[in-house]
Amino acid sequence: DGWVDRLVTTAGSWWAATQAWQRAAHLDSHELGDLRILLGWPYSTEEIRAGDRLDDTWIVLGAHRTDDGRLQQQRTWLQGRATGETVQVLDFAAGGAGLPLPQVVGAELTGPVSRYPGHAPRRALLGDPITAGGPVSHLPAGGSVEAALDTMAAGLADNPWCRRMPVLLADVIVTPEHVVDAAGHALPITPDTAVWSLLAHSGGHPCDLFAELEEGRLRVLSAGIEGGVIAL
């Protein structure tokens, strides 16, 4: 369903990329960083570690793994307590290699991260030293479905190739197919969300969620329930 819209969106994205590539010399570092991510033109680890660093105490909001049979990917989302910035740490493994152990969702990490060029949400590398702390009692403050859509819209305005946006939602009800906020606005849930586990934990009561908003759907990665954060 909706293949025409997806086709037009994808074609438009690649047209914008070809136009941006022709003007690469005039792009600022963040615009060029967004384009390089799309094109798969990597930065060296040394280049990133020598650049933009940010110290904070980071809450591990959630993590997600994918495996297409050739390449495994692990996305870990962190939010700084002082800065409020959310970054993603990406790990890859190919050829039968294993991914690093995931960070504990709901835990705190104190120390620096090195950020890649690009607009929010920015990719980052964990620095050294990183000190692991105890679990937090709740997720950071979230908002409504409308606020989540506004966040995605702002991200697309900065970066037309933004595929997903981390969002926090407060006091929402989870159904088998949707997340519904207090105003009655809803977003569908991705098929790879552990929705039955989420329903079992929430029991149909309002809860706080951390999710990836992607193609108009929510991939829920963690929930704030009964004085703790639960990974999904």
Short mmCIF file of all heavy atoms in Angstrom, two decimals, residues 116-139:
data_model
loop_
_atom_site.label_atom_id
_atom_site.label_comp_id
_atom_site.label_asym_id
_atom_site.label_seq_id
_atom_site.Cartn_x
_atom_site.Cartn_y
_atom_site.Cartn_z
N TYR A 116 29.76 13.13 15.04
CA TYR A 116 29.97 13.23 13.61
C TYR A 116 29.35 14.53 13.08
O TYR A 116 28.37 15.02 13.66
CB TYR A 116 29.31 12.06 12.88
CG TYR A 116 30.05 10.75 12.97
CD1 TYR A 116 30.13 10.06 14.17
CD2 TYR A 116 30.65 10.18 11.85
CE1 TYR A 116 30.80 8.84 14.26
CE2 TYR A 116 31.33 8.97 11.92
CZ TYR A 116 31.38 8.30 13.13
OH TYR A 116 32.06 7.10 13.21
N PRO A 117 29.86 15.07 11.98
CA PRO A 117 29.17 16.20 11.35
C PRO A 117 27.79 15.78 10.87
O PRO A 117 27.58 14.64 10.46
CB PRO A 117 30.08 16.54 10.16
CG PRO A 117 31.42 15.97 10.51
CD PRO A 117 31.13 14.74 11.31
N GLY A 118 26.84 16.68 10.94
CA GLY A 118 25.48 16.39 10.49
C GLY A 118 24.47 17.06 11.40
O GLY A 118 24.81 17.57 12.47
N HIS A 119 23.24 17.07 10.94
CA HIS A 119 22.16 17.63 11.73
C HIS A 119 21.58 16.55 12.66
O HIS A 119 21.82 15.37 12.49
CB HIS A 119 21.05 18.17 10.82
CG HIS A 119 21.44 19.41 10.08
ND1 HIS A 119 21.93 19.39 8.79
CD2 HIS A 119 21.43 20.72 10.46
CE1 HIS A 119 22.19 20.63 8.40
NE2 HIS A 119 21.91 21.45 9.40
N ALA A 120 20.81 17.00 13.63
CA ALA A 120 20.21 16.10 14.60
C ALA A 120 19.24 15.13 13.90
O ALA A 120 18.55 15.53 12.96
CB ALA A 120 19.47 16.90 15.67
N PRO A 121 19.25 13.87 14.38
CA PRO A 121 20.05 13.30 15.47
C PRO A 121 21.43 12.91 14.96
O PRO A 121 21.56 12.20 13.96
CB PRO A 121 19.23 12.07 15.88
CG PRO A 121 18.55 11.63 14.61
CD PRO A 121 18.26 12.90 13.84
N ARG A 122 22.45 13.36 15.67
CA ARG A 122 23.81 13.14 15.21
C ARG A 122 24.35 11.80 15.68
O ARG A 122 24.04 11.32 16.77
CB ARG A 122 24.72 14.27 15.72
CG ARG A 122 24.37 15.61 15.11
CD ARG A 122 25.17 16.74 15.68
NE ARG A 122 26.59 16.66 15.34
CZ ARG A 122 27.49 17.57 15.69
NH1 ARG A 122 27.12 18.63 16.41
NH2 ARG A 122 28.75 17.44 15.35
N ARG A 123 25.17 11.20 14.84
CA ARG A 123 25.88 9.98 15.21
C ARG A 123 27.03 10.36 16.13
O ARG A 123 27.59 11.47 16.03
CB ARG A 123 26.40 9.26 13.97
CG ARG A 123 27.08 7.94 14.28
CD ARG A 123 27.62 7.29 13.02
NE ARG A 123 28.44 6.13 13.36
CZ ARG A 123 29.16 5.45 12.48
NH1 ARG A 123 29.18 5.81 11.20
NH2 ARG A 123 29.88 4.40 12.89
N ALA A 124 27.41 9.47 17.03
CA ALA A 124 28.48 9.76 17.98
C ALA A 124 29.26 8.49 18.30
O ALA A 124 28.77 7.36 18.12
CB ALA A 124 27.91 10.36 19.27
N LEU A 125 30.48 8.69 18.77
CA LEU A 125 31.31 7.61 19.30
C LEU A 125 31.49 7.82 20.79
O LEU A 125 31.72 8.95 21.24
CB LEU A 125 32.70 7.62 18.63
CG LEU A 125 32.78 7.30 17.14
CD1 LEU A 125 34.22 7.50 16.67
CD2 LEU A 125 32.32 5.87 16.87
N LEU A 126 31.37 6.76 21.56
CA LEU A 126 31.66 6.85 22.99
C LEU A 126 33.13 7.13 23.19
O LEU A 126 34.00 6.54 22.54
CB LEU A 126 31.27 5.55 23.70
CG LEU A 126 29.77 5.28 23.84
CD1 LEU A 126 29.56 3.90 24.45
CD2 LEU A 126 29.11 6.34 24.71
N GLY A 127 33.43 8.06 24.09
CA GLY A 127 34.81 8.43 24.37
C GLY A 127 35.41 7.60 25.50
O GLY A 127 34.88 6.57 25.90
N ASP A 128 36.50 8.08 26.02
CA ASP A 128 37.21 7.40 27.09
C ASP A 128 37.75 8.47 28.05
O ASP A 128 38.39 9.43 27.60
CB ASP A 128 38.37 6.58 26.49
CG ASP A 128 39.07 5.72 27.52
OD1 ASP A 128 38.39 5.28 28.48
OD2 ASP A 128 40.29 5.50 27.38
N PRO A 129 37.48 8.35 29.35
CA PRO A 129 36.79 7.22 29.99
C PRO A 129 35.29 7.42 30.01
O PRO A 129 34.80 8.54 30.04
CB PRO A 129 37.36 7.25 31.40
CG PRO A 129 37.61 8.72 31.66
CD PRO A 129 38.04 9.30 30.34
N ILE A 130 34.57 6.30 30.02
CA ILE A 130 33.12 6.28 30.21
C ILE A 130 32.83 5.51 31.48
O ILE A 130 33.29 4.37 31.64
CB ILE A 130 32.39 5.63 29.03
CG1 ILE A 130 32.44 6.54 27.80
CG2 ILE A 130 30.95 5.30 29.38
CD1 ILE A 130 31.56 7.76 27.89
N THR A 131 32.10 6.13 32.39
CA THR A 131 31.77 5.50 33.66
C THR A 131 30.30 5.11 33.65
O THR A 131 29.43 5.93 33.38
CB THR A 131 32.03 6.46 34.84
OG1 THR A 131 33.40 6.88 34.80
CG2 THR A 131 31.75 5.77 36.17
N ALA A 132 30.04 3.83 33.93
CA ALA A 132 28.66 3.35 33.97
C ALA A 132 28.05 3.62 35.33
O ALA A 132 28.67 3.38 36.37
CB ALA A 132 28.62 1.86 33.66
N GLY A 133 26.82 4.13 35.32
CA GLY A 133 26.11 4.41 36.56
C GLY A 133 24.91 3.49 36.74
O GLY A 133 24.69 2.56 35.96
N GLY A 134 24.13 3.75 37.74
CA GLY A 134 22.97 2.93 38.04
C GLY A 134 21.79 3.24 37.15
O GLY A 134 21.83 4.14 36.31
N PRO A 135 20.69 2.51 37.33
CA PRO A 135 19.50 2.72 36.51
C PRO A 135 18.76 3.99 36.90
O PRO A 135 18.80 4.42 38.05
CB PRO A 135 18.64 1.48 36.81
CG PRO A 135 19.07 1.06 38.18
CD PRO A 135 20.53 1.39 38.28
N VAL A 136 18.09 4.58 35.92
CA VAL A 136 17.25 5.75 36.18
C VAL A 136 15.85 5.28 36.53
O VAL A 136 15.45 4.16 36.21
CB VAL A 136 17.22 6.70 34.97
CG1 VAL A 136 18.61 7.23 34.67
CG2 VAL A 136 16.64 5.99 33.74
N SER A 137 15.08 6.13 37.19
CA SER A 137 13.73 5.74 37.62
C SER A 137 12.67 6.03 36.57
O SER A 137 11.54 5.53 36.69
CB SER A 137 13.37 6.47 38.92
OG SER A 137 13.41 7.87 38.73
N HIS A 138 13.02 6.84 35.57
CA HIS A 138 12.01 7.19 34.56
C HIS A 138 12.72 7.70 33.31
O HIS A 138 13.89 8.10 33.35
CB HIS A 138 11.06 8.26 35.09
CG HIS A 138 11.75 9.50 35.59
ND1 HIS A 138 12.16 10.51 34.75
CD2 HIS A 138 12.14 9.87 36.84
CE1 HIS A 138 12.76 11.46 35.45
NE2 HIS A 138 12.76 11.10 36.72
N LEU A 139 12.00 7.71 32.21
CA LEU A 139 12.50 8.30 30.98
C LEU A 139 12.48 9.83 31.08
O LEU A 139 11.71 10.39 31.87
CB LEU A 139 11.62 7.87 29.80
CG LEU A 139 11.75 6.43 29.32
CD1 LEU A 139 10.63 6.11 28.33
CD2 LEU A 139 13.11 6.19 28.68
#
